Amino acid sequence: MQQRVVITGMGIWSCIGEDVKAVEQSLRLGRSGIGADPRRTEYGYQSPLTGIVPVPDLSHEGLRRSQRMCLSEAGRYAYMAVKQALEQAPITDRHRVGLIVSNDSTACELAEVEDIMRLHHDSRRLGAGAVFRSLNSTVSMALASIFGIGGISLTVSAACSGGGHAVGLALSLIRSGQVDACIVVGAQEVGLHAYTSFDALGIFSQRADDPEKASRPFDAARDGLVPSGGAACVILESAEHAAMGNRKPMATVRGYGFCTSPDIVTPSAESIFRCMSNAIQDADINPEQLSMIMAHATSTQDGDRAEADALLSLSLWLPKYTCGVGKPIGNPFVVSTKCLTGHECWMSGVSQVVYALIQMQGGFVAPHINLEQPEPAAARLNIPTKPIVTNINHVLCNAFGFGGTNSSIIISKP
């Protein structure tokens, strides 16, 4: 018999808050965490815009020096997010608990290694922790040791869809009975070296004079995304395991869908549609039951347009009747929190789920703060520009990435 899977804990460290409570306030108020970093201009970036993510001080966390030495920038964010989630879901026996992390780069750590070698020409200057910080599996490796994970421990490398796939893999493992629970993390570095190769593509917004209005998903005047990062965590358990530990479910993870687009760079509306449809079919719900869709929508021209076209293809917005202003009654809300956070890349598939959980538990929908003139396809979507108080039952969370990899997750009220 297939196990029912629930979420019992969550944590987050982001540019709009360093815990769930602070993030909820930012979502309710439509408060942006985007700013301009002058160091990026000096270094040679075309755009200085970024999510402003504070680096946590772990000196008072009770960690051994050797443990702190092995934590990369993204690892430090992830440690704080996991710590918060485990405070909500205090699983003590972690023999059959897994850890799955979405992470796809350690650019900052590798750049530091190169700087030291160029300056000193002596690898002994790197120190013992450098190898652990610079591996792509750095976050899962360090956290598995720190938190005593006894089950599977690995890093998913799937660009910006990695977080969605990490949640989906955890869902599959728990459904099959191979683990009782999984700690799922999305972690993204934001240091000076993190996004240089992306900046070279000219895909970042140039609105440095007004950073809070720079990220404009679905808006006709969008001129590119804003890079961001931090870490987010959700804890998935079988319903039986959660009940045995007296842990109350926040939500049920109902469905996981995935597919790969034919082009490595250009988004495909057909593939995005297929990905969402697969998740809906796996969740065994009717599309009309969806209360909200957390769109991937990063504020790029091609990506936003392809996703908007795919959302329309679900036929969710074909009204039988309207409320008198042309908007269909009962349409699911389409939300892109990236207007507030920027694009959190490797973190985003997990942070989407956290943002959805916060809105589901709080009974509200976050506002889109920078939607002034929607592009044609998006104009037919139900995108709220003000906070709305409402009941949310089923949410579809999208995460798509370079290389054509796509993932969709559906969570529901327990």
Side-chain angles (χ1 to χ4, degrees), residues 1 71 165 207 210 235 238 241 323 349 381 387:
M1 180 179 177
L71 284 169
H165 289 307
R207 295 174 183 263
D210 196 356
I235 295 179
S238 70
H241 189 257
C323 56
L381 305 179

Side-chain angles (χ1 to χ4, degrees), residues 314-332:
L314 283 176
S315 300
L316 300 175
W317 292 271
L318 299 177
K320 294 181 179 178
Y321 53 93
T322 69
C323 56
V325 291
K327 290 286 186 181
I329 292 176
N331 281 358

Side-chain angles (χ1 to χ4, degrees), residues 149-405:
I149 301 303
I152 189 171
S153 169
L154 56 84
T155 291
V156 174
S157 178
C160 304
S161 70
H165 289 307
V167 174
L169 289 173
L171 173 66
S172 300
L173 286 169
I174 297 170
R175 278 175 169 176
S176 70
Q178 292 178 286
V179 294
D180 295 326
C182 261
I183 299 170
V184 183
V185 181
Q188 171 65 52
E189 57 186 342
V190 289
L192 189 61
H193 307 284
Y195 284 107
T196 49
S197 58
F198 284 91
D199 185 74
L201 299 176
I203 60 174
F204 293 161
S205 172
Q206 299 295 315
R207 295 174 183 263
D209 57 330
D210 196 356
E212 293 187 2
K213 292 189 176 181
S215 185
R216 312 177 68 85
F218 294 131
D219 191 78
R222 66 192 185 279
D223 71 330
L225 63 82
V226 174
S228 189
C233 174
V234 288
I235 295 179
L236 277 62
E237 300 185 62
S238 70
E240 181 182 359
H241 189 257
M244 288 174 60
N246 295 316
R247 289 179 290 275
K248 185 178 179 181
M250 299 176 178
T252 301
V253 186
R254 291 285 295 269
Y256 169 41
F258 53 86
C259 73
T260 301
S261 301
D263 193 282
I264 193 170
V265 176
T266 305
S268 161
E270 181 182 353
S271 296
I272 293 171
F273 168 77
R274 189 164 62 250
C275 181
M276 293 188 293
S277 299
N278 289 341
I280 291 169
Q281 186 173 21
D282 186 44
D284 193 24
I285 64 171
N286 191 305
E288 282 76 13
Q289 291 179 263
L290 291 173
S291 309
M292 181 167 69
I293 294 173
M294 296 292 291
H296 181 67
T298 62
S299 192
T300 60
Q301 290 291 336
D302 292 342
D304 287 11
R305 186 176 300 115
E307 187 172 13
D309 287 342
L311 289 170
L312 290 173
S313 295
L314 283 176
S315 300
L316 300 175
W317 292 271
L318 299 177
K320 294 181 179 178
Y321 53 93
T322 69
C323 56
V325 291
K327 290 286 186 181
I329 292 176
N331 281 358
F333 295 102
V334 176
V335 175
S336 174
T337 50
K338 294 178 180 69
C339 62
L340 304 174
T341 66
H343 184 20
E344 296 161 325
C345 287
W346 326 146
M347 166 191 176
S348 63
V350 183
S351 60
Q352 288 277 64
V353 175
V354 171
Y355 298 141
L357 283 167
I358 291 172
Q359 293 172 86
M360 181 181 285
Q361 288 194 313
F364 74 98
V365 177
H368 193 313
I369 62 170
N370 295 324
L371 189 66
E372 296 176 358
Q373 182 181 350
E375 74 153 48
R380 297 175 60 192
L381 305 179
N382 189 10
I383 304 174
T385 55
K386 295 180 180 179
I388 294 173
V389 176
T390 187
N391 189 42
I392 299 171
N393 293 312
H394 304 283
V395 183
L396 184 149
C397 299
N398 283 335
F400 313 131
F402 260 21
T405 175

Side-chain angles (χ1 to χ4, degrees), residues 42-62:
E42 182 181 351
Y43 187 63
Y45 273 71
Q46 300 176 67
S47 171
L49 294 167
T50 181
I52 306 299
V53 184
V55 178
D57 178 9
L58 302 185
S59 60
H60 304 295
E61 289 296 321

